[in-house]
Amino acid sequence: MTEPLAPQYDPSAIEAPLYAWWQERGFYHVDANGAGEPYVIQIPPPNVTAVLHAGHGLNNTIQDVLIRFERMRGRRALWVPGTDHAGIATQNVVEKLLAKEGLTRFDVGREAFVERVWSFVHETGGQILDQLKALGASCDWSRTYFTLDADLSRAVREVFVRLHEQGLIYRGKYIINWCPRCLTALSNEEAEKEETEGRIWHLRYPLADGSDSLVVATTRPETMLGDTAVAVHPDDPRYAGLIGKHLRLPLVGRLIPIIGDDAVDPAFGSGAVKVTPAHDQTDFEIGKRHDLEQLNIMTPDAHLNDAVPERFQGLERFEARKRVVAEFEAEGRLVKVEPHRHAVGHCYRCGTVVEPRLSDQWFVRMQPLAAPALAAYRDGRVSFIPERQGDNYANWMENIRDWCISRQLWWGHRIPVWYCDAEGCHTTIVARETPTRCTACGGTVTQDEDVLDTWFSSWLVPFSSLGWPDETEDLAAFYPGTTLVTAPEILFFWVARMIMAGLEFRGEVPFRTVYLHGTVRDTQHRKMSKSLGNGIDPLEVIERFGADALRYTMVSGMAVGTDLILDPADLESSFAPGRNFANKLWNIGRFLLGHLEAGVAPIDTVAAVDLTLADRWILARASEMITTATQHYERYRLNDAVAAVYHFLWSDLADWYLEQVKPRLYGNVSGGETARAVAAHVFDIALRMLHPVMPFVTETLWKRLPGSGPDATISLAAWPVGADGRADAAALGDFGALQALVGAVRVLRAEYAVGPGAMVNVTVVDPSEAVQRAIAADADTIRRLAKIESLVVGAAPTEAGGTIVLDDRTTVIVPLGDLVDIEKECARLGGEAGKLEQLVSAQEAKLANENFVSRAPAAIIAKEREKLDAWRAQSATLREKRAALGCTD
RNA sequence: GGGCGAAUAGCUCAGCUGGUUAGAGCGCCUGCCUUACACGCAGGAUGUCGGGGGUUCGAAUCCCUCUUCGCCCACCA
């Protein structure tokens, strides 16, 4: 508290120790039975192997702003952190490490591999949580969870078993999205559709009797090797006679029937569709309806298997495509090839083109879970910001499809299903506790090989992180949560499913508000990504500019519902404003605190009569700022909130109030004590209002304010609520007049290049009421800030001077003798006059418009008349001045 | 193929329910190392609010349409 502050703020010296102190004091730990209404945010758990990127930076900054805001408002603010075991992603990382040793997971074996992943996670995992600390995230770290922890695994089993008991989980052979690289099934959400410039091949199939042929179109010709029918629309007259006949499948020679099915669109292509039930969703369904053979022609890694003619066996799928097309061409059966845009699924983890594959998988029946989740949105129990995201949610819920939850991975929650080993027993056990014996025959059992989709554990986090399935105190206190902050990309993966799980297992939505923020992009509006190399490393930004600067830029740069555009090639332009703001704050503090060491009186002990115009003004501005910034925080308009505080601190407090107050602090002038009290009071307010966005610098300065004490933290200080009773709106107008007067003199000084040290004389002619009051209240400040030797109110001086018409009456004249160029002055005033006259005539026309006068509200008309009067008066004054100067047009 | 969003100063963007002489930060120009801050201070320039039509007394703001970007969803082979 006593060592002097350096002239420049150095965040790197301050942030880490300060964070350590917060943590050591346990300020952000929240008990189940504390005081205050709970406010709960669940972090979107980052992958355990993740490294902090700009998206995390944005997401967690927003959460921290909200949690700090609510904490200061007296809520029992709990931010629950955790990491996700991220099945595919983590397994891939470890497999890559193995590959460097020339090994695959199959070489190592399941048990050893899982061991290996665990040790990898223990060694390097969770580093992102430390990186969040560098960002300033005020999580309750004592509650950190990992989705593969024993507790959360228990919740997963409980949910699986309950859903199974309710008949909502089933196993079956269906077409699923298969990643041939990761060798696992994916959910629909995990298969990312991308518009792709592809081709469509038209192939001719002959009738078995050779009498005729028809043409089918396909984007994946290699699948024809698995065709077991060709379908046409039953009402299509072109094919009316062909239904029931057979075709001879080229290259293979197999006989396949022509069938009629409503799913075929006669208008598309030739109106005939090759049917490959084992390799296409639609074809699978057609196949079911017609009892067609499901011929699987591919191995798990997408090579052709022995179900195809020998010459194709073992070919990789795209290689096979070329061969098939070539043979069709050679046989003269390739009718045409056309370019074709279509959506192709890609694995969301490795980008490989997904192969629809027929396989045995576990599914969750979603419709019964979706109905209540949709209702909760419709009746407002959960709402979205921005609102339009709710439509997305509703649309997905309405068209929900069953969720494929089994993954052919080793890293994850093993499916809690066991099969009896005994021949002929066929008993399947679905259980919370691992069984040792078959319940039917007492024989040995073997657990299902598959693990569950990662999201099958993360959708439970709002309650599993609080101890469920036990009815813990935490659960009672902190479920349901309040706000969820995340990126729109995981609306379906995670948000929608959490709502379903919350309703199903707790009977209540897991949070009331879902704030979906934008994406961080580069200046070409591309998403930041490792592969594009256009990312911004938040840790580098923190190192160079400070965490507060990073947070400031993220918050101020993004309005609700918009993306955040940053230039990775020019960090300076993005983050210097935040650094500069922190430095400004630091210097305000440096200046003020130096004057407060002797102690400062609490604001409520200051008598109203002792308050100067400037005091009353800054108090009034502080009140306004509290109201507007608080409203913006409440409405998630964080950019507006921080802008309001920024403007108050920089443009009001630093630029005007501190300048006004200097003599009172430095000199032996009366009013010093009042100035200190007011300055300390409004600075304290502003620090609190800014703390959610810039926690480090605000805490550092706040702790040095007299009265804070070494144990106090701004993060638990009360949120400023209201106006000081002595702040009055009149001060806003009067101090505004003072500012305008000073500004006018400064403009004239600049206009005529009056040297910075030179003093000028100023005559104010016919001052308005507000200007009169300003001069009466604080002529000293006006003189000092505008460097005025003598300030007089009276008639215009005879000496030539620069002139500014301030308002409808007031004229400010700075006599400058030879410095004044009359022609230039006339031109300048003429320009002003011209602008005003345009305004006046436009305004006159408006008020002469019968329609306007009769239809516009009275208040608007009155306002417009006032404007006209003011402009007319100002214009008249300008004319007079020009006449006095002898200006000619 | 559906659904949605965006187009405002050189750049990144505000402008919430229609009435401001259309704003901020950065950048740019001029002058200042004024004892809190040159990461600063004072002053300044820059916009037919994407094009066209409409509603209205009044439109950056509401409606239609076009253009250009972007996002989400979709089993048309």
Side-chain angles (χ1 to χ4, degrees):
Chain A
M1 175 143 324
T2 45
E3 78 267 30
L5 298 178
Q8 270 195 2
Y9 176 56
D10 178 12
S12 64
I14 281 172
E15 290 175 355
L18 188 51
Y19 194 92
W21 180 73
W22 285 333
Q23 213 176 338
E24 185 186 300
R25 304 305 298 265
F27 293 135
Y28 310 132
H29 173 70
V30 183
D31 269 325
N33 33 24
E37 187 194 346
Y39 179 86
V40 182
I41 295 182
Q42 288 282 352
I43 207 168
N47 290 356
V48 67
T49 58
V51 176
L52 194 73
H53 61 237
H56 294 122
L58 175 65
N59 175 245
N60 289 287
T61 295
I62 293 171
Q63 292 175 80
D64 197 43
V65 170
L66 296 176
I67 206 91
R68 286 180 184 271
F69 170 59
E70 296 294 351
R71 185 183 293 126
M72 290 176 77
R73 297 220 289 175
R75 305 272 297 264
R76 213 156 17 124
L78 171 62
W79 186 9
V80 183
T83 49
D84 195 302
H85 67 281
I88 305 181
T90 306
Q91 175 160 325
N92 283 351
V93 170
V94 176
E95 282 191 296
K96 269 184 201 149
L97 292 177
L98 280 180
K100 284 185 188 156
E101 302 167 27
L103 296 171
T104 70
R105 66 175 150 126
F106 301 101
D107 297 331
V108 176
R110 182 165 192 153
E111 210 170 311
F113 179 79
V114 171
E115 277 300 306
R116 181 109 188 203
V117 180
W118 269 115
S119 58
F120 176 78
V121 164
H122 284 136
E123 279 162 33
T124 64
Q127 59 174 313
I128 191 165
L129 298 183
D130 287 326
Q131 296 171 335
L132 290 178
K133 290 172 188 169
L135 192 69
S138 59
C139 303
D140 184 350
W141 298 109
S142 70
R143 298 172 181 278
T144 307
Y145 63 83
F146 180 50
T147 53
L148 215 47
D149 282 344
D151 289 354
L152 278 78
S153 299
R154 198 155 65 90
V156 164
R157 274 205 186 179
E158 179 68 28
V159 162
F160 188 97
V161 173
R162 280 205 206 175
L163 289 176
H164 185 264
E165 284 167 356
Q166 292 168 61
L168 295 181
I169 281 186
Y170 62 92
R171 185 170 196 247
K173 220 179 190 37
Y174 296 93
I175 295 280
I176 44 81
N177 300 289
W178 178 267
C179 176
R181 202 217 65 84
C182 300
L183 299 178
T184 180
L186 300 170
S187 65
N188 294 321
E189 289 70 30
E190 288 171 325
E192 290 181 340
K193 298 286 185 161
E194 273 173 49
E195 283 278 320
T196 310
E197 212 58 71
R199 279 188 275 183
I200 186 161
W201 287 266
H202 295 255
L203 310 176
R204 187 176 298 281
Y205 289 7
L207 276 175
D209 59 14
S211 64
D212 201 354
S213 68
L214 52 66
V215 174
V216 297
T218 178
T219 54
R220 295 185 294 147
E222 69 280 11
T223 62
M224 62 78 54
L225 301 171
D227 284 359
T228 52
V230 165
V232 297
H233 195 277
D235 304 331
D236 192 331
R238 292 172 293 180
Y239 303 110
L242 294 179
I243 293 173
K245 295 195 169 172
H246 284 72
L247 295 160
R248 184 163 303 278
L249 187 63
L251 315 192
V252 180
R254 187 164 61 236
L255 285 184
I256 58 173
I258 299 172
I259 56 176
D261 194 285
D262 288 338
V264 178
D265 176 3
F268 188 89
S270 62
V273 187
K274 61 189 270 313
V275 182
T276 322
H279 293 278
D280 183 274
Q281 180 67 34
T282 312
D283 294 2
F284 173 77
E285 282 156 20
I286 293 174
K288 283 247 154 175
R289 286 195 284 274
H290 298 271
D291 202 22
L292 298 174
E293 186 192 351
Q294 300 165 340
L295 189 62
N296 187 343
I297 60 164
M298 277 195 212
T299 58
D301 61 349
H303 288 62
L304 295 182
N305 64 15
D306 55 11
V308 301
E310 207 172 338
R311 64 188 186 282
F312 293 106
Q313 289 177 15
L315 286 178
E316 189 276 331
R317 56 182 164 164
F318 297 119
E319 200 51 41
R321 179 172 301 175
K322 285 183 203 157
R323 285 284 291 274
V324 166
V325 170
E327 291 202 15
F328 263 87
E329 193 166 19
E331 291 185 13
R333 300 186 192 280
L334 178 61
V335 179
K336 60 177 169 175
V337 187
E338 292 174 318
H340 184 66
R341 272 188 79 75
H342 61 145
V344 177
H346 292 74
C347 172
Y348 86 136
R349 279 302 159 208
C350 72
T352 302
V353 173
V354 162
E355 194 64 35
R357 181 176 173 82
L358 183 66
S359 60
D360 271 313
Q361 303 290 343
W362 289 92
F363 296 86
V364 180
R365 212 179 296 284
M366 297 303 275
Q367 220 290 317
L369 299 175
L374 187 57
Y377 166 66
R378 297 263 189 243
D379 65 22
R381 271 174 289 157
V382 61
S383 60
F384 293 86
I385 292 171
E387 281 179 42
R388 66 187 138 79
Q389 293 286 359
D391 293 338
N392 256 352
Y393 170 86
N395 188 45
W396 185 79
M397 284 292 178
E398 281 165 357
N399 299 296
I400 198 151
R401 291 185 286 164
D402 285 357
W403 177 13
C404 174
I405 52 170
S406 43
R407 296 289 177 276
Q408 288 64 50
L409 304 171
W410 290 350
W411 175 245
H413 299 96
R414 194 88 177 254
I415 290 180
V417 173
W418 292 262
Y419 307 102
C420 179
D421 297 332
E423 201 150 329
C425 180
H426 301 305
T427 298
T428 298
I429 302 165
V430 178
R432 293 172 177 82
E433 301 299 330
T434 304
T436 50
R437 294 273 154 208
C438 173
T439 46
C441 72
T444 57
V445 292
T446 303
Q447 187 167 11
D448 193 297
E449 292 293 317
D450 291 349
V451 301
L452 289 159
D453 181 2
T454 290
W455 302 97
F456 196 87
S457 56
S458 37
W459 76 323
L460 312 176
V461 150
F463 45 89
S464 64
S465 70
L466 298 171
W468 191 88
D470 294 336
E471 291 296 330
T472 61
E473 284 189 330
D474 280 349
L475 196 55
F478 301 121
Y479 190 95
T482 319
T483 307
L484 186 81
V485 180
T486 193
E489 293 102 272
I490 55 173
L491 177 59
F492 308 134
F493 277 116
W494 193 48
V495 181
R497 286 172 182 157
M498 278 192 289
I499 295 172
M500 294 189 277
L503 288 164
E504 174 68 18
F505 299 105
R506 298 304 301 164
E508 276 184 285
V509 292
F511 31 73
R512 304 261 166 230
T513 307
V514 178
Y515 176 26
L516 296 168
H517 60 249
T519 308
V520 186
R521 298 175 183 281
D522 68 10
T523 47
Q524 293 169 61
H525 294 222
R526 298 177 307 182
K527 212 161 147 173
M528 288 190 176
S529 75
K530 223 184 247 177
S531 52
L532 282 173
N534 63 343
I536 282 179
D537 176 6
L539 297 175
E540 183 193 342
V541 173
I542 289 171
E543 200 176 306
R544 282 178 55 191
F545 300 92
D548 286 334
L550 174 73
R551 296 167 60 113
Y552 174 80
T553 293
M554 300 231 147
V555 168
S556 64
M558 195 175 63
V560 169
T562 66
D563 285 338
L564 177 65
I565 312 295
L566 297 173
D567 186 353
D570 185 8
L571 297 182
E572 183 76 16
S573 74
S574 295
F575 299 102
R579 175 199 62 197
N580 296 353
F581 184 34
N583 191 56
K584 185 73 182 181
L585 220 67
W586 179 257
N587 275 288
I588 292 171
R590 202 155 77 94
F591 169 73
L592 260 184
L593 293 167
H595 292 282
L596 300 179
E597 276 173 0
V600 58
I603 186 69
D604 33 343
T605 65
V606 176
V609 289
D610 290 335
L611 295 173
T612 66
L613 173 59
D615 296 337
R616 286 181 287 123
W617 169 75
I618 198 69
L619 288 169
R621 281 290 305 122
S623 297
E624 285 186 328
M625 185 272 284
I626 291 170
T627 308
T628 56
T630 303
Q631 276 173 4
H632 289 315
Y633 275 119
E634 283 171 339
R635 298 166 60 199
Y636 301 90
R637 303 181 68 92
L638 307 183
N639 58 326
D640 290 329
V642 76
V645 188
Y646 180 98
H647 184 267
F648 174 80
L649 273 161
W650 203 312
S651 306
D652 293 335
L653 182 64
D655 289 350
W656 288 96
Y657 187 72
L658 294 187
E659 290 306 325
Q660 195 279 339
V661 120
K662 276 180 178 171
R664 290 203 272 166
L665 297 183
Y666 279 123
N668 196 10
V669 185
S670 68
E673 202 176 330
T674 304
R676 279 193 291 276
V678 173
H681 176 65
V682 297
F683 188 50
D684 184 349
I685 286 173
L687 288 177
R688 293 182 201 219
M689 305 289 302
L690 189 60
H691 179 257
V693 179
M694 302 179 81
F696 292 104
V697 68
T698 52
E699 176 78 297
T700 305
L701 294 170
W702 189 83
K703 283 176 68 61
R704 289 169 179 260
L705 283 176
S708 297
D711 292 331
T713 173
I714 190 173
S715 56
L716 296 177
W719 191 253
V721 281
D724 182 281
R726 287 153 301 188
D728 62 304
L732 292 174
D734 292 357
F735 198 82
L738 182 151
Q739 290 174 308
L741 181 47
V742 169
V745 177
R746 283 173 173 171
V747 166
L748 290 171
R749 294 178 62 104
E751 192 75 30
Y752 289 107
V754 177
M759 303 297 275
V760 295
N761 294 323
V762 171
T763 303
V764 181
V765 183
D766 192 18
S768 65
E769 307 283 334
V771 173
Q772 285 178 39
R773 285 194 300 267
I775 293 174
D778 202 358
D780 283 350
T781 293
I782 297 169
R783 276 195 219 98
R784 187 164 47 85
L785 297 186
K787 294 187 178 127
I788 297 170
E789 181 73 47
S790 98
L791 173 65
V792 297
V793 175
T798 49
E799 189 189 349
T803 302
I804 280 185
V805 176
L806 208 58
D807 52 45
D808 51 349
R809 281 167 51 180
T810 318
T811 309
V812 180
I813 301 176
V814 179
L816 290 165
D818 294 344
L819 282 178
V820 175
D821 175 340
I822 297 292
E823 238 173 85
K824 185 175 159 191
E825 187 66 13
C826 284
R828 200 172 55 78
L829 292 174
E832 290 292 315
K835 266 193 252 169
L836 269 169
E837 273 152 28
Q838 277 186 2
L839 285 173
V840 166
S841 55
Q843 196 70 357
E844 280 170 345
K846 186 186 245 182
L847 284 159
N849 183 340
E850 187 48 40
N851 279 327
F852 173 67
V853 179
S854 60
R855 295 187 201 204
I860 294 290
I861 295 171
K863 209 168 113 189
E864 296 298 324
R865 275 199 209 289
E866 265 177 48
K867 275 201 261 178
L868 176 59
D869 291 343
W871 288 337
R872 269 184 180 153
Q874 201 171 338
S875 178
T877 318
L878 260 175
R879 266 199 305 277
E880 273 173 44
K881 290 307 138 191
R882 283 167 49 77
L885 281 173
C887 302
T888 52
D889 288 306

